[in-house]
Amino acid sequence: MLSALTVGFATGFSLILAIGAQNAFVLRQGLLRQHVFALCLFCAASDAALIALGVAGFGAITGAWPLFPQIMALAGAAFLLVYGALRFRAAWRGGETLRAEGQAPSLRRTLATAAAFTWLNPHVYLDTVGLIGAVSTQFSPDARAAFGGGAVAASFVFFFGLGYGARWLAPLLRTAAAWRALDAGIGAVMWALAAKLIAGLG
């Protein structure tokens, strides 16, 4: 159980670590110190719902279509390899920065924007429902719940850490060197996850 929980946390944290539109938005709001708690809670709860769907739904789909895990594992590995390559390319080229400007919007507008970043982003479904669901099939039904719990915990830790730690993290992310290191690290993690998925097919 502890192993499944740890793998779930590491998998969820690694997938969510990439600085995309949603994470950059949370970071920006954290810099402005506006609606941080509500925003972090919304993003983490959305992830939790999608992760639960992936972990629970994958078992039902697998029962009806036994080859589905292998197909999703291959598709997930392909995505992770490509995404990792893109992060390595970004690290090689450099030049990435993050700036937060302007005034924070209202709570309603903030959550509406977060909803768009979360629920209208196809990569969110691939990460939470697809990839996490695929990795969860490597565990027994009992351990699968622990794996999902670890992934959910990673989302809460990440979003609240990003939102409330923004004022310390932002100066580092304004430097090109920090972004290159971050992108290289994300690329390495993505390729390691891809290798794990491929190895599980044997």
Side-chain angles (χ1 to χ4, degrees):
M1 287 295 183
L2 182 60
S3 175
L5 183 70
T6 303
V7 173
F9 187 92
T11 301
F13 199 87
S14 298
L15 289 174
I16 202 173
L17 183 61
I19 300 294
Q22 182 193 46
N23 296 350
F25 180 67
V26 173
L27 180 60
R28 180 178 182 278
Q29 292 301 111
L31 287 170
L32 297 171
R33 303 184 189 181
Q34 294 290 325
H35 318 304
V36 177
F37 180 82
L39 177 61
C40 294
L41 181 62
F42 176 86
C43 292
S46 296
D47 261 14
L50 289 168
I51 290 169
L53 178 63
V55 173
F58 232 79
I61 296 174
T62 300
W65 192 9
L67 291 178
F68 188 71
Q70 287 81 359
I71 294 172
M72 284 301 300
L74 286 173
F79 171 78
L80 289 171
L81 287 171
V82 171
Y83 188 82
L86 292 175
R87 293 301 90 209
F88 281 125
R89 185 179 69 173
W92 175 261
R93 291 182 174 180
E96 295 287 344
T97 57
L98 180 66
R99 294 186 298 271
E101 301 172 347
Q103 298 298 316
S106 66
L107 175 60
R108 182 176 180 179
R109 185 175 176 182
T110 297
L111 294 182
T113 303
F117 282 142
T118 302
W119 297 96
L120 299 181
N121 182 0
H123 293 302
V124 170
Y125 296 95
L126 181 58
D127 287 350
T128 55
V129 179
L131 290 174
I132 291 180
V135 176
S136 73
T137 60
Q138 300 178 19
F139 298 96
S140 65
D142 290 339
R144 200 171 299 158
F147 171 85
V152 168
S155 290
F156 276 86
V157 170
F158 176 83
F159 281 117
F160 279 93
L162 181 62
Y164 285 101
R167 60 179 177 269
W168 293 288
L169 183 63
L172 297 176
L173 291 179
R174 287 196 179 100
T175 67
W179 276 84
R180 296 181 85 163
L182 179 65
D183 280 329
I186 292 172
V189 170
M190 294 300 102
W191 278 13
L193 285 172
K196 182 176 178 61
L197 283 176
I198 294 172
L201 295 174

